[in-house]
Amino acid sequence: MTPDVLALMQGLTEQQKNYVLSAQARQKETGMAYLFWFVLGVHYFYLNKPVINIIYWLTAGGLGIWMIIDLFRIPGMVRSRNKELIQDAIKEAKVLYPEVQ
């Protein structure tokens, strides 16, 4: 668990924390994103950005330029998507397991 995730989980109840931890199974992996980028150019679909992926296909990876840029951007895009997934899981946990006072 990264320090970012720990900081986001501050103030959650035990049930909420358990829910967020179980949601970590949905996190994306950098290696898989690179595999999807290399094989079919579907890394944006993997990162839940289908419109961008269609544009990527239509422009043939920005005539190769966008493709090379993505080679360096993929790790950051994966980290960003994983942070979004954790934030969504925290929101869901707060709705599913409200704090009892």
Side-chain angles (χ1 to χ4, degrees):
M1 190 175 325
T2 64
D4 292 344
V5 173
L6 290 173
L8 289 171
M9 291 177 55
Q10 289 292 331
L12 295 179
T13 66
E14 200 59 40
Q15 278 185 317
Q16 292 169 340
K17 286 180 184 178
N18 289 336
Y19 182 83
V20 172
L21 291 175
S22 70
Q24 281 190 312
R26 292 183 270 166
Q27 288 199 323
K28 306 301 180 184
E29 297 178 22
T30 304
M32 288 299 294
Y34 274 118
L35 181 67
F36 287 133
W37 167 81
F38 182 73
V39 175
L40 298 171
V42 293
H43 54 293
Y44 285 106
F45 279 122
Y46 180 65
L47 298 173
N48 201 30
K49 298 181 180 187
V51 174
I52 293 175
N53 211 120
I54 292 170
I55 295 169
Y56 183 85
W57 283 345
L58 292 175
T59 63
L63 299 175
I65 296 169
W66 190 359
M67 186 176 78
I68 293 169
I69 292 170
D70 279 351
L71 176 65
F72 300 100
R73 288 186 63 225
I74 285 176
M77 290 189 295
V78 170
R79 279 191 303 273
S80 176
R81 180 64 186 144
N82 285 340
K83 188 174 181 179
E84 290 172 13
L85 288 171
I86 291 296
Q87 289 170 338
D88 290 345
I90 289 171
K91 289 176 189 173
E92 291 172 13
K94 287 181 179 180
V95 170
L96 292 172
Y97 306 105
E99 293 184 39
V100 179
Q101 295 182 1

